[in-house]
Amino acid sequence: MRVLIVEDEVRMANVIKRSLTREGLATDVANGGLQAIAMATVVSYDAIVLDVMLPDTSGFETCQVLRERGVWSPVLMLTAREAVEDRVAGLDSGADDYLVKPFALAELHARLRSLVRRGRPERPAVLSVGSLRLDPARREVYRGETRVELSAKEFALLEALMHRPGEVLTRLELIEQAWDFAYENRSNVIDVYIRRLRRKLDEPFGTNSLETVRSVGYRLSEDQ
Ligand code: CA
């Protein structure tokens, strides 16, 4: 079993490395997010221990990029504090479990064993509503055969709508699903993004799938 340890603090990385080696695991160390991405796309690791605080690109971003590139090794994220936001951000970015620093090495071993037993997470299924298709793993959206480029936020909003086709979602529900909790809670931001999505996904194709439900929110339906 081969594990990638992603941690810039040399002392911490060495402590983890020594303890995993004693457990009979093969280990590699990356001291930043970019190096981790380069290594994990080449080697198929059985698990990745990923620190959130990295000098170049955060653990959250690193995990997200790994998933976008189709790397599905289980990720155990090391967070600095037991903050709900950190936990949610970690799981959102595609991590499988998290451990709060400081932790006991025995717990790290137990969590890793359990992650590896669970196996690789399933690749998330491609969503489709009418002629719209969204691939969460590849971060791609198609209207029919045409690839449509969306920003990260447009993508997140569309993904939220595509998970519940035909249902009315309120602006608040959409904000909660597409933005992190730190985001300023202004509902008109949703209206702006819905307009952008219509310009990209409906207008060029003569469809009308993003429906405004007056004073409630929005609904995505099959093309009309
Ligand atoms: Ca660190």
Side-chain angles (χ1 to χ4, degrees):
M1 186 168 135
R2 189 160 174 189
V3 177
L4 177 63
I5 301 159
V6 189
E7 168 64 279
D8 57 307
E9 291 150 66
V10 176
R11 213 176 57 89
M12 183 61 143
N14 284 339
V15 168
I16 296 175
K17 185 178 172 64
R18 270 200 304 273
S19 81
L20 295 184
T21 307
R22 267 199 305 273
E23 293 282 297
L25 306 182
T27 54
D28 293 320
V29 174
N31 53 29
L34 297 177
Q35 194 190 356
I37 291 163
M39 290 168 83
T41 44
V42 175
V43 177
S44 177
Y45 288 100
D46 297 289
I48 299 174
V49 178
L50 178 58
D51 188 38
V52 168
M53 299 292 287
L54 296 169
D56 48 0
T57 169
S58 79
F60 300 134
E61 288 161 332
T62 303
C63 189
Q64 202 174 341
V65 171
L66 286 174
R67 296 316 190 212
E68 282 167 16
R69 299 202 178 168
V71 175
W72 295 100
S73 308
V75 169
L76 175 64
M77 203 161 273
L78 305 179
T79 67
R81 52 212 168 98
E82 174 89 70
V84 177
E85 290 86 347
D86 277 15
R87 245 183 297 162
V88 171
L91 297 173
D92 270 355
S93 69
D96 302 281
D97 199 1
Y98 68 96
L99 197 54
V100 179
K101 283 179 166 178
F103 50 83
L105 288 169
E107 181 161 20
L108 176 72
H109 301 158
R111 296 286 184 98
L112 275 180
R113 276 195 299 272
S114 136
L115 270 188
V116 172
R117 256 202 315 274
R118 254 194 266 162
R120 278 157 203 263
E122 296 262 317
R123 216 183 140 84
V126 173
L127 304 170
S128 72
V129 178
S131 62
L132 260 186
R133 257 184 316 126
L134 179 148
D135 185 337
R138 292 176 176 275
R139 316 288 296 174
E140 288 175 356
V141 173
Y142 289 87
R143 169 66 89 187
E145 297 303 311
T146 310
R147 168 100 186 261
V148 181
E149 294 290 340
L150 298 183
S151 73
K153 286 304 173 201
E154 291 163 357
F155 188 94
L157 188 60
L158 181 65
E159 191 175 14
L161 285 158
M162 289 188 74
H163 272 294
R164 290 165 64 186
E167 285 180 47
V168 182
L169 287 144
T170 65
R171 290 180 178 79
L172 188 60
E173 284 175 308
L174 290 169
I175 284 182
E176 281 172 356
Q177 293 187 36
W179 272 264
D180 56 49
F181 295 115
Y183 196 81
E184 199 185 337
N185 249 22
R186 282 191 319 201
S187 62
N188 66 357
V189 79
I190 293 288
D191 303 341
V192 171
Y193 276 96
I194 292 281
R195 275 202 294 279
R196 289 196 196 167
L197 283 177
R198 280 186 178 133
R199 272 205 298 274
K200 291 184 174 182
L201 298 170
D202 275 336
E203 286 165 22
F205 303 94
T207 53
N208 186 21
S209 57
L210 277 160
E211 206 185 322
T212 305
V213 180
R214 234 183 116 93
S215 70
V216 184
Y218 293 99
R219 172 164 53 204
L220 178 69
S221 42
E222 300 204 354
D223 341 334
Q224 307 155 2

